Amino acid sequence: MGLGGSCAGWLMQAPCWLGGDFSLSEDTQQQIIRETFHLVSKRDENVCNFLEGGLLIGGSDNKLIYRHYATLYFVFCVDSSESELGILDLIQVFVETLDKCFENVCELDLIFHVDKVHNILAEMVMGGMVLETNMNEIVTQIDAQNKLEKSETFIFQSPRQDR
Amino acid sequence: MSDVVERTLSALPGLLGQQDPGAGPGGGPGRVSATSRLGGLIRSITALSSKHEEEKLIQQEQTNLKATVSAPTTTLRLMKECMVRLIYCEMLGYESSFGYIHAIKLAQQGNLLEKRVGYLAVSLFLHENHELLLLLVNTVVKDLQSTNLVEVCMALTVVSQIFPREMIPAVLPLIEDKLQHSKEIIRRKAVQALYKFYLIAPNQVQHIHDKFRKALCDRDVGVMAASLHIYLQMIKKNASGYKDLTESFVSILKQVVGGKLPIDFNYHSVPAPWLQIQLLRILGLLGKDDPRTSELMYDVLDESLRRAEINHNITYAILFECVQTIYTICPKSDLLEKAAKCIGKFVLSPKINLKYLGLKALTYVIQQDPNLALQHQMTIIECLDHPDPIIKRETLELLYRITNGQNVTVIVQKMLDYLRQSKEEYTIINLTGKIAELVEKYPFLLLKWFIQTMNAVFSVGGDVMHPDIPNNFLRLLAEGFDDEKEDEELRLYAVQSYLSLLEEEDTFYPQKFLQVMSWVLGEYSYLINDGDPEVIITRLHRLLKQTFVTSETKAWIMTAVTKMSSRMSCSKTIDKLIQEFSTSLDTCMRQYAFELKHLCENKELMKNLFPLDASCDEIMVDASLSFLDGFVAEGLSCGAAPYKPHHQRQEEKLSQEKALNFEPYGLSFTSNMSSSGFTGRQSPAGLSLGSDMSGNSAELGQKETNCLKLDGVRKLWGKEGYLPKKENKTGKEDKTQPVPQDSILTAHVVDPPLMQSEQQVVSLSEEEKEKQQLASTLFVGLGSNSTISLVGDFYKLQVTKFTKYETQNSEEASSFQNIATLPFSPLPDTTPNNKENFQGNEHLGLRKISLSSSEVLEASVSFETSQSVTEVGLDEQLSNCRLSTSSLFADSNIEVFQPPQNVPDIVANKAPLSLCLPEELAGHPHSEIVELCSSDILTVYWCKVWTDDCSRLVLFVANNSTSPLKTVNLVNLNIFYTSVNFFLSFCQKCVQLEKVCTEGVLSGSISYHLDTDTHLEFSLTFSLSDFIRPMKMTTEDFGRLWLSFSNDVKQNLKMSPSQGSLSVALNALKQKLKLHIVEIIGNEGIAACRLLPSVPCLLHCRTHARTLALWFRSSCSALPDSLLYQCQKVMEEA
């Protein structure tokens, strides 16, 4: 099931939730965020980047995999069908992509452009599965969509398919 | 790159507090909007100091937003802005459901950008089953047909994130078309959308499996990679169906590893690492237990191992997958060697992540290669004291798997240490379970140790641990082991330790622990000779007054007091207790007190009620309440109305309603119907009467144990000790050895590999010496010759009930052994010559049958007189067997269970004819008896019997040799023969479906001991149709039920010309799936069936121009889908 039925989240100083076709109630989501933040934030620097299942995130099959960038934590919740180290580098790809798209990303970008960040993540991870890890491809897609924002013209009008 | 990011990010922490964040460094493209309303909102929220203020602010914001979004003048542009703010509010945890419908509207009406925000909002706000999602379907369909690529992309993205299951048919053809689209991105997203469909409704995409193959061969790497997700999932479910693709996967992996992909896909100069990981996982699944397939992948695995040499995180990810795959598939020695080296690299790495994975890998391979743990024992010891609790836990997991009789005390001690430190509920549950399992496996190492460890588990694990743990513990204590004296000692020690624990006043114990204590004290306190029972009762009495004791625990304590008072003449404390609680406000307690009071008045009765040490005695329970027959007869003679079972009353009520029905359709009847109406006979007392087959109440009584419910408890202990292995003996020997202190000495003796490390001891520091010592105690007995077994539970299907038949006596057995040795079983064709021989056997076989069925006796008599007749007789007999189930298939359509033409031949070839079902099963339809597995000594045959109320699995065990077998043990089916000295024995089990699925596999193994222990493994497949039974009903009932069910699935199937009319198709379904056809009118038909025990499913079908439209409805959500799949299969076969 890939990213744990796909809760992919990031946490900041004020933790917030990203992503997830999690069919959870608002309360459970908030509780998960709080618990995750609690778990992750008290970890030292010299420990591993994996945390094994609490009851909230669905027991032993699920894991939290996180990466720490200055004041930011990127936390992915995945199930056993994902490679731990693979996800760790996926976070890296995600951050690098953010950096390319926002030209020197900072956390304010992430706060003020939640929607764009969601779109970038949707290019990489679709329905809980890693879809694209080719950074250039992602950036191309995102750029194409950003151009729309500026010009609002339909530059992507495709030649009509004959069916 | 990460450095850059980190620097940027670390430069900014103070920014949030600044007045104008838009003026921060960078100033990228979209930063203007920081001054927008969202920016304002965020700024004011970050400026707040309390949660309460935030709530107030958000409330105000939401009121504003509500007004704006519902105002008709709001432009779409403004709406988009509002949506972003709503997303922010939701993210902070404030529900804004008023905006959901507007998000859908925005997705429908907006231009590209607005649409995108609309879709995003929808996917964030709504969940899979939200009813508003239906409104999105039309928009998605429209966008999928759009000529604008971006719109199509957006629609596909939203479909793969969130889509209502029942609307899949509406978009499926459109998405299928997209698989041929010229743009890669569209193809990729289409594949991903189909993957989503596969996850939520696998049967609806059954027909496009070919297209997945096309996607796998796509020229674009991204599309191919996307299709791998689907394959991984499908192969996980059914590896054998995709073996033919192994070569394709191998060649893809070869190309990837060889760097044939575009350079874009490189990550830190490793070619497409995620793709490699995915492929390695698939290969692992394919090669498992399959030497031929494994053969294909050795080369490429070797290549991957060799290539992944750069020292980067991602190469380690690949290496780890390689190692796992190598250990999963059929082993090859030089690959294993390389993999073991890799694991060493992981374990010894200073990087903590790699160490963690190394431990994980070790845990994974330890059962195959215990020596690997010996190599790394010092690292493992270091990890035990690691500051990171995650690493510690992983180490304990590893130790748990290498536990044996010699090191169990040390390992359990380590686990207890960790348990005492941890506060997380999840960890406690997990660890207590493991400790309890280990302790119960080796209880006789030290009696005191056993009780003390369990005490620790109970007091730490408290009330969060699994309820099986106290139950199992009490069972062990009650059932005892071989030695009566040791049992007594154990119980006595338990009683003493609990008494001393209760001595201290005002200490808190978890409820479960108190319950265990009170049970043990009540049952076994008589073992203390010198103690005064009065003291014990006083202590229990004190507990009863504590406020932290729940009423459930109080009930346990009261029971204990009652038991004890039966052994005492009189007691002041008891009198006091009775007095105290007779006026209690707690009605339960008051009742207990009164019961106790009345029992105390009649000591004789009390002694009978509470016999000493009788917790394991079986009590006969007359479930049919036959002792009330006289009472009933008296009532009837006085003119009382006879009892009618519930469903009969319902039916009568219904038939009355038919005459004059003022009620609207779909009344409460339906819920009754689905819950109990179909179970058939109801017992007078409301008990379920599973065993009451003959209807004679006097004959059958159900045995039940009186105090502990043991169903579902794993049977680790039997009369002969621990079942799966003979660990008991070694355990007893060890008991004489003092374990921890001088175990270096024992390690010397026991374990040669440890010699090396011992020699180094001299030069080592004190601390290291300690570690060495620990190592030697931990890894003792881990040599190559010792066995490690942690018998896993492979239950997929729940086994509920079984009976064992040992009918034949040994005299007969010897005569049949002679037959068995006759060389008739490998009969390819029944040539005349062989036929005689075979019929000779048949004759004996039939006489064998006669032991169980008098009908068949006649057949065998006629057989003796005339050979030509007998064959017919036999044939008839076989078909009779299958047809005599008129109760089940009332219209007794002969076609339904007509045996295949060649049945006699098959029977002759595959099983000796003496295999015959027992009398009460022979009347039910059953599958052929075929061989399951065999060895020189033993052959196992099996068949399925479909009785009215369950599916039974019947296993026949035949002894091919002449010598009797002592112990034959069917491991995962929980059947245990003490001896098979007869020729043939069989057992049957009732198999139940736990979860609706199309197919389930039941695996198990049979082991026996002749000269050496031998294991035979087997697995059996059950399909959903094994659990489907017809359900008789009238068209009116059908109509009522139909309206009351909410889960439905519709699908159109193409019919081949040969299937022609509806009745032909329906009959095919009826035969294969055991449906009951309710009525056929013209081109429409209705049928009904039930999933055992009584989940109804209704089918409505109609034919129209070569298509058959099937429409299922049921009260169970997963059932229609799975049944549809079965129907598809039937129609394809036909």
Side-chain angles (χ1 to χ4, degrees):
Chain A
M1 181 67 72
L3 304 184
S6 106
C7 115
W10 79 70
L11 297 160
M12 299 181 207
Q13 282 166 323
C16 61
W17 174 268
L18 167 75
D21 33 19
F22 241 57
S23 44
L24 294 171
S25 73
E26 204 65 29
D27 283 346
T28 334
Q29 272 190 23
Q30 289 302 315
Q31 213 181 330
I32 292 176
I33 293 176
R34 269 197 303 276
E35 187 168 297
T36 311
F37 182 69
H38 180 69
L39 282 174
V40 170
S41 61
K42 71 177 181 203
R43 308 260 307 157
D44 292 334
E45 271 306 308
N46 58 343
V47 294
C48 66
N49 296 21
F50 317 116
L51 270 171
E52 266 163 42
L55 288 177
L56 257 185
I57 59 163
S60 58
D61 200 35
N62 289 358
K63 267 197 188 96
L64 294 176
I65 296 175
Y66 70 95
R67 244 185 138 119
H68 189 183
Y69 296 95
T71 53
L72 281 177
Y73 284 98
F74 286 82
V75 184
F76 277 52
C77 170
V78 302
D79 68 9
S80 61
S81 71
E82 292 291 331
S83 149
E84 288 92 346
L85 288 175
I87 293 297
L88 214 51
D89 276 62
L90 187 75
I91 300 178
Q92 180 66 20
V93 171
F94 180 46
V95 173
E96 284 179 33
T97 314
L98 285 175
D99 193 59
K100 278 189 182 165
C101 293
F102 284 104
E103 297 168 25
N104 275 336
V105 68
C106 70
E107 41 178 43
L108 292 179
D109 290 319
L110 307 187
I111 298 177
F112 287 120
H113 300 286
V114 182
D115 51 333
K116 282 184 198 148
V117 179
H118 274 295
N119 285 331
I120 293 172
L121 192 66
E123 287 300 318
M124 290 179 62
V125 180
M126 234 171 114
M129 299 309 293
V130 181
L131 178 63
E132 184 60 75
T133 50
N134 180 349
M135 223 179 300
N136 296 335
E137 175 74 26
I138 304 169
V139 174
T140 323
Q141 288 301 324
I142 297 293
D143 277 351
Q145 288 171 13
N146 281 343
K147 270 185 205 153
L148 283 172
E149 187 172 357
K150 280 182 184 155
S151 59
E152 296 275 12
T153 49
F154 297 174
I155 40 169
F156 257 78
Q157 202 83 30
S158 73
R160 180 148 185 91
Q161 298 285 305
D162 17 22
R163 283 182 217 144
Chain B
M1 175 53 74
S2 66
D3 293 343
V4 179
V5 181
E6 240 162 286
R7 244 182 295 129
T8 329
L9 293 177
S10 57
L12 289 170
L15 254 180
L16 272 175
Q18 277 181 17
Q19 281 305 306
D20 185 8
R31 264 158 227 205
V32 225
S33 57
T35 51
S36 67
R37 277 182 231 194
L38 174 70
L41 174 66
I42 294 171
R43 243 194 323 275
S44 39
I45 284 180
T46 46
L48 297 175
S49 55
S50 75
K51 180 85 183 159
H52 181 66
E53 281 175 344
E54 180 188 297
E55 266 166 33
K56 247 169 68 186
L57 188 82
I58 296 281
Q59 244 166 31
Q60 200 189 342
E61 179 74 20
Q62 280 183 327
T63 334
N64 287 345
L65 282 171
K66 203 172 186 172
T68 323
V69 290
S70 41
T73 51
T74 311
T75 60
L76 288 173
R77 200 192 183 92
L78 184 58
M79 190 69 95
K80 184 196 113 194
E81 235 254 52
C82 291
M83 277 307 138
V84 178
R85 272 190 285 165
L86 273 179
I87 292 176
Y88 192 78
C89 290
E90 283 258 324
M91 198 166 70
L92 290 180
Y94 299 91
E95 200 189 314
S96 330
S97 47
F98 61 87
Y100 294 174
I101 186 72
H102 296 283
I104 291 176
K105 255 162 74 186
L106 190 65
Q108 197 176 359
Q109 297 164 350
N111 64 19
L112 275 184
L113 192 63
E114 289 146 11
K115 200 183 255 302
R116 192 152 65 122
V117 174
Y119 272 136
L120 178 66
V122 169
S123 67
L124 290 176
F125 291 161
L126 304 185
H127 59 80
E128 207 100 88
N129 303 318
H130 203 286
E131 49 193 1
L132 282 180
L133 214 51
L134 287 176
L135 298 176
L136 194 72
V137 175
N138 219 356
T139 317
V140 170
V141 170
K142 205 181 79 198
D143 283 342
L144 281 176
Q145 288 164 325
S146 158
T147 52
N148 187 327
L149 278 188
V150 181
E151 278 184 353
V152 179
C153 269
M154 285 192 290
L156 285 172
T157 309
V158 87
V159 164
S160 71
Q161 277 167 340
I162 187 169
F163 201 75
R165 205 174 68 142
E166 59 273 25
M167 294 310 287
I168 289 175
V171 294
L172 193 56
L174 287 172
I175 293 179
E176 272 179 65
D177 282 348
K178 295 287 178 273
L179 287 175
Q180 271 102 45
H181 203 277
S182 61
K183 275 274 180 197
E184 303 83 47
I185 177 94
I186 303 282
R187 293 205 300 273
R188 196 187 312 149
K189 294 205 171 190
V191 170
Q192 203 64 28
L194 289 177
Y195 170 73
K196 171 78 175 179
F197 291 166
Y198 178 79
L199 286 184
I200 55 177
N203 301 327
Q204 301 209 17
V205 292
Q206 205 81 33
H207 60 287
I208 40 181
H209 280 192
D210 287 345
K211 294 190 177 161
F212 292 153
R213 287 195 184 218
K214 228 175 255 167
L216 185 67
C217 309
D218 200 284
R219 59 186 182 281
D220 181 70
V221 183
V223 182
M224 185 267 290
S227 73
L228 287 183
H229 292 304
I230 302 181
Y231 276 105
L232 183 63
Q233 209 56 239
M234 293 198 292
I235 290 171
K236 226 181 240 170
K237 268 197 193 153
N238 169 25
S240 55
Y242 300 92
K243 299 272 183 193
D244 56 320
L245 283 174
T246 314
E247 279 183 66
S248 318
F249 291 127
V250 167
S251 80
I252 294 173
L253 184 57
K254 253 186 201 143
Q255 289 174 38
V256 176
V257 173
K260 299 266 164 51
L261 293 191
I263 198 98
D264 273 356
F265 284 90
N266 283 12
Y267 174 81
H268 289 266
S269 62
V270 180
W274 288 278
L275 194 56
Q276 289 193 42
I277 292 171
Q278 194 88 354
L279 282 165
L280 285 167
R281 295 217 158 182
I282 290 178
L283 289 183
L285 289 172
L286 282 172
K288 196 176 184 191
D289 303 326
D290 183 352
R292 271 217 351 259
T293 318
S294 300
E295 195 78 35
L296 296 172
M297 47 187 90
Y298 289 144
D299 280 347
V300 75
L301 285 174
D302 195 36
E303 177 86 6
S304 303
L305 274 182
R306 215 156 35 78
R307 293 262 183 168
E309 266 173 353
I310 320 153
N311 192 10
H312 186 268
N313 220 358
I314 199 72
T315 49
Y316 284 111
I318 296 172
L319 275 182
F320 183 75
E321 286 315 314
C322 273
V323 169
Q324 249 188 340
T325 307
I326 288 171
Y327 273 96
T328 314
I329 62 173
C330 285
K332 192 190 178 202
S333 57
D334 65 321
L335 272 182
L336 284 182
E337 223 167 86
K338 280 178 192 168
K341 240 184 236 162
C342 265
I343 293 179
K345 250 196 259 175
F346 276 99
V347 175
L348 296 174
S349 163
K351 283 186 188 163
I352 197 98
N353 285 343
L354 299 187
K355 200 173 267 266
Y356 169 82
L357 287 177
L359 287 172
K360 232 182 102 174
L362 268 184
T363 317
Y364 186 74
V365 305
I366 204 78
Q367 262 143 331
Q368 290 181 39
D369 190 3
N371 283 322
L372 212 52
L374 284 177
Q375 276 172 30
H376 299 295
Q377 45 176 311
M378 287 321 289
T379 324
I380 295 173
I381 299 294
E382 271 162 28
C383 289
L384 259 185
D385 294 324
H386 202 277
D388 187 353
I390 301 291
I391 298 272
K392 252 189 188 173
R393 202 158 80 197
E394 200 59 39
T395 318
L396 287 178
E397 176 76 38
L398 174 65
L399 290 179
Y400 164 72
R401 303 212 180 200
I402 58 167
T403 314
N404 56 32
Q406 284 143 301
N407 61 15
V408 65
T409 40
V410 194
I411 289 178
V412 166
Q413 190 52 45
K414 285 279 161 199
M415 286 175 147
L416 280 177
D417 289 347
Y418 185 83
L419 185 64
R420 290 203 180 97
Q421 285 165 16
S422 65
K423 290 184 182 64
E424 236 187 304
E425 196 181 329
Y426 170 75
T427 321
I428 295 175
I429 294 175
N430 194 351
L431 263 183
T432 47
K434 280 183 180 146
I435 296 176
E437 196 189 322
L438 287 180
V439 171
E440 280 168 20
K441 232 162 114 182
Y442 310 98
F444 268 115
L445 284 183
L446 284 168
L447 293 175
K448 287 185 181 173
W449 172 77
F450 175 54
I451 299 290
Q452 274 164 359
T453 316
M454 285 315 282
N455 285 354
V457 168
F458 287 138
S459 50
V460 179
D463 294 322
V464 294
M465 69 186 167
H466 200 272
D468 274 356
I469 298 175
N471 288 352
N472 273 349
F473 172 72
L474 292 184
R475 185 170 57 91
L476 267 183
L477 217 55
E479 282 180 357
F481 310 98
D482 291 340
D483 191 345
E484 201 46 50
K485 216 179 118 206
E486 277 184 340
D487 290 347
E488 299 253 302
E489 248 175 76
L490 185 68
R491 289 167 192 161
L492 181 63
Y493 186 74
V495 170
Q496 280 166 346
S497 79
Y498 295 151
L499 275 181
S500 65
L501 281 177
L502 287 179
E503 207 164 342
E504 298 157 43
E505 276 182 62
D506 297 329
T507 30
F508 173 81
Y509 294 109
Q511 307 298 324
K512 290 261 173 65
F513 194 17
L514 287 177
Q515 290 166 11
V516 169
M517 284 190 208
S518 45
W519 191 85
V520 172
L521 288 179
E523 202 69 31
Y524 297 116
S525 60
Y526 69 90
L527 290 170
I528 303 187
N529 297 324
D530 48 345
D532 182 7
E534 194 74 28
V535 179
I536 306 173
I537 289 186
T538 321
R539 280 184 198 156
L540 290 176
H541 181 219
R542 200 165 61 205
L543 271 184
L544 278 177
K545 285 189 288 191
Q546 301 280 7
T547 44
F548 68 83
V549 180
T550 63
S551 52
E552 190 199 346
T553 314
K554 279 184 185 161
W556 282 73
I557 299 173
M558 276 308 269
T559 319
V561 171
T562 317
K563 276 183 208 159
M564 289 179 64
S565 65
S566 69
R567 284 161 218 147
M568 294 157 62
S569 47
C570 66
S571 152
K572 270 183 209 155
T573 329
I574 288 179
D575 293 340
K576 207 169 100 194
L577 196 140
I578 291 172
Q579 208 172 14
E580 207 170 295
F581 287 101
S582 312
T583 54
S584 165
L585 284 178
D586 185 343
T587 43
C588 274
M589 289 308 286
R590 206 180 328 171
Q591 188 187 342
Y592 279 118
F594 276 113
E595 274 174 17
L596 183 56
K597 189 177 164 193
H598 286 289
L599 282 173
C600 280
E601 283 160 13
N602 189 348
K603 285 281 171 191
E604 255 334 286
L605 176 68
M606 202 165 182
K607 281 228 166 75
N608 282 335
L609 262 180
F610 302 103
L612 272 189
D613 192 17
S615 58
C616 295
D617 295 352
E618 288 183 339
I619 294 177
M620 291 292 284
V621 175
D622 187 355
S624 60
L625 307 182
S626 60
F627 57 88
L628 288 176
D629 283 352
F631 179 74
V632 172
E634 197 180 315
L636 284 176
S637 66
C638 294
Y643 174 77
K644 282 175 195 158
H646 183 249
H647 70 274
Q648 198 181 335
R649 271 178 285 160
Q650 287 288 358
E651 269 167 23
E652 277 171 18
K653 204 170 143 202
L654 273 176
S655 57
Q656 282 164 8
E657 272 167 13
K658 249 178 223 162
L660 209 60
N661 185 4
F662 296 115
E663 296 289 322
Y665 287 116
L667 65 180
S668 64
F669 152 74
T670 50
S671 65
N672 292 330
M673 196 69 172
S674 60
S675 64
S676 64
F678 306 122
T679 46
R681 204 173 323 189
Q682 294 256 328
S683 87
L687 290 168
S688 108
L689 260 193
S691 63
D692 191 357
M693 304 236 228
S694 65
N696 188 341
S697 60
E699 267 179 24
L700 287 155
Q702 267 181 325
K703 282 185 177 177
E704 277 175 24
T705 51
N706 59 344
C707 54
L708 286 169
K709 222 183 158 169
L710 303 175
D711 309 20
V713 174
R714 270 189 32 192
K715 196 158 182 182
L716 283 174
W717 291 90
K719 281 178 189 145
E720 316 222 341
Y722 184 55
L723 286 183
K725 11 177 242 167
K726 303 266 178 298
E727 203 68 57
N728 230 347
K729 222 182 260 170
T730 47
K732 274 176 198 163
E733 282 162 12
D734 287 344
K735 216 172 56 174
T736 52
Q737 296 172 1
V739 180
Q741 281 82 10
D742 40 1
S743 53
I744 296 179
L745 206 74
T746 43
H748 262 302
V749 185
V750 181
D751 205 7
L754 279 171
M755 299 282 276
Q756 293 172 328
S757 58
E758 288 307 319
Q759 282 157 4
Q760 296 163 2
V761 167
V762 195
S763 61
L764 291 171
S765 68
E766 242 340 78
E767 190 191 344
E768 272 174 335
K769 242 186 211 166
E770 240 171 61
K771 282 186 178 170
Q772 290 278 13
Q773 192 169 336
L774 182 59
S776 54
T777 48
L778 280 178
F779 296 95
V780 66
L782 244 201
S784 47
N785 49 358
S786 71
T787 49
I788 294 160
S789 92
L790 289 165
V791 183
D793 252 337
F794 294 108
Y795 279 102
K796 293 209 173 130
L797 299 155
Q798 194 189 7
V799 180
T800 50
K801 200 168 85 179
F802 75 91
T803 25
K804 198 168 84 182
Y805 293 89
E806 298 174 8
T807 44
Q808 288 77 22
N809 60 37
S810 51
E811 205 176 313
E812 277 167 350
S814 62
S815 72
F816 287 114
Q817 273 163 14
N818 297 336
I819 310 159
T821 49
L822 286 174
F824 78 96
S825 50
L827 250 181
D829 274 322
T830 31
T831 55
N833 198 5
N834 284 340
K835 205 165 191 171
E836 270 185 28
N837 191 356
F838 146 57
Q839 281 173 348
N841 285 310
E842 198 172 77
H843 165 72
L844 284 165
L846 280 171
R847 198 190 271 162
K848 177 88 178 165
I849 293 171
S850 69
L851 286 172
S852 51
S853 157
S854 57
E855 272 183 338
V856 191
L857 191 65
E858 286 170 20
S860 75
V861 171
S862 65
F863 173 54
E864 274 172 65
T865 50
S866 142
Q867 283 213 351
S868 58
V869 179
T870 27
E871 273 204 11
V872 182
L874 175 68
D875 215 329
E876 263 177 13
Q877 203 58 44
L878 280 165
S879 48
N880 276 345
C881 276
R882 290 165 166 82
L883 287 171
S884 59
T885 55
S886 52
S887 64
L888 187 56
F889 303 99
D891 36 0
S892 88
N893 187 338
I894 293 188
E895 277 173 12
V896 180
F897 293 107
Q898 184 121 55
Q901 295 291 308
N902 50 353
V903 156
D905 288 354
I906 287 177
V907 174
N909 280 338
K910 293 195 174 166
L913 259 181
S914 47
L915 292 180
C916 163
L917 288 169
E919 195 176 356
E920 76 266 28
L921 292 180
H924 294 285
H926 60 85
S927 65
E928 289 164 29
I929 302 171
V930 287
E931 186 178 312
L932 184 61
C933 57
S934 72
S935 69
D936 306 341
I937 311 290
L938 197 106
T939 314
V940 183
Y941 303 92
W942 75 296
C943 78
K944 296 177 197 166
V945 180
W946 300 290
T947 61
D948 210 349
D949 52 353
C950 70
S951 268
R952 278 165 203 279
L953 168 66
V954 181
L955 292 178
F956 298 81
V957 183
N959 185 350
N960 297 342
S961 72
T962 46
S963 52
L965 286 173
K966 271 275 156 55
T967 40
V968 175
N969 188 6
L970 269 158
V971 174
N972 284 314
L973 299 170
N974 263 356
I975 300 167
F976 183 71
Y977 293 115
T978 40
S979 66
V980 184
N981 54 5
F982 38 84
F983 162 60
L984 185 73
S985 77
F986 57 90
C987 58
Q988 51 153 324
K989 294 196 118 185
C990 185
V991 181
Q992 277 186 349
L993 202 59
E994 255 186 353
K995 205 183 105 203
V996 178
C997 56
T998 51
E999 229 173 50
V1001 180
L1002 184 75
S1003 58
S1005 66
I1006 182 161
S1007 66
Y1008 58 88
H1009 184 87
L1010 194 60
D1011 296 324
T1012 52
D1013 278 325
T1014 317
H1015 280 271
L1016 292 174
E1017 293 198 358
F1018 58 83
S1019 65
L1020 306 161
T1021 314
F1022 279 83
S1023 80
L1024 181 72
S1025 55
D1026 289 328
F1027 302 95
I1028 297 291
R1029 298 287 178 274
M1031 190 164 109
K1032 282 207 293 177
M1033 61 170 70
T1034 61
T1035 313
E1036 284 84 19
D1037 290 346
F1038 186 94
R1040 273 170 219 277
L1041 277 177
W1042 182 264
L1043 289 175
S1044 67
F1045 291 154
S1046 54
N1047 302 299
D1048 66 346
V1049 168
K1050 267 194 220 177
Q1051 179 108 350
N1052 291 340
L1053 298 180
K1054 290 221 170 68
M1055 292 205 297
S1056 63
S1058 65
Q1059 281 163 332
S1061 70
L1062 176 71
S1063 58
V1064 175
L1066 254 183
N1067 268 325
L1069 292 179
K1070 176 182 171 178
Q1071 276 183 32
K1072 292 276 163 55
L1073 294 178
K1074 313 189 194 87
L1075 305 176
H1076 169 71
I1077 300 178
V1078 181
E1079 200 167 356
I1080 301 180
I1081 309 169
N1083 63 346
E1084 280 186 72
I1086 49 178
C1089 65
R1090 65 188 164 99
L1091 174 70
L1092 289 173
S1094 61
V1095 184
C1097 186
L1098 307 177
L1099 166 67
H1100 171 268
C1101 46
R1102 109 195 263 151
T1103 47
H1104 177 70
R1106 281 284 157 74
T1107 55
L1108 176 66
L1110 294 174
W1111 190 359
F1112 288 93
R1113 274 199 179 182
S1114 168
S1115 56
C1116 162
S1117 61
L1119 187 56
D1121 229 19
S1122 313
L1123 258 181
L1124 173 65
Y1125 174 58
Q1126 298 282 345
C1127 284
Q1128 274 175 330
K1129 268 205 335 208
V1130 170
M1131 297 302 283
E1132 274 165 26
E1133 279 165 17

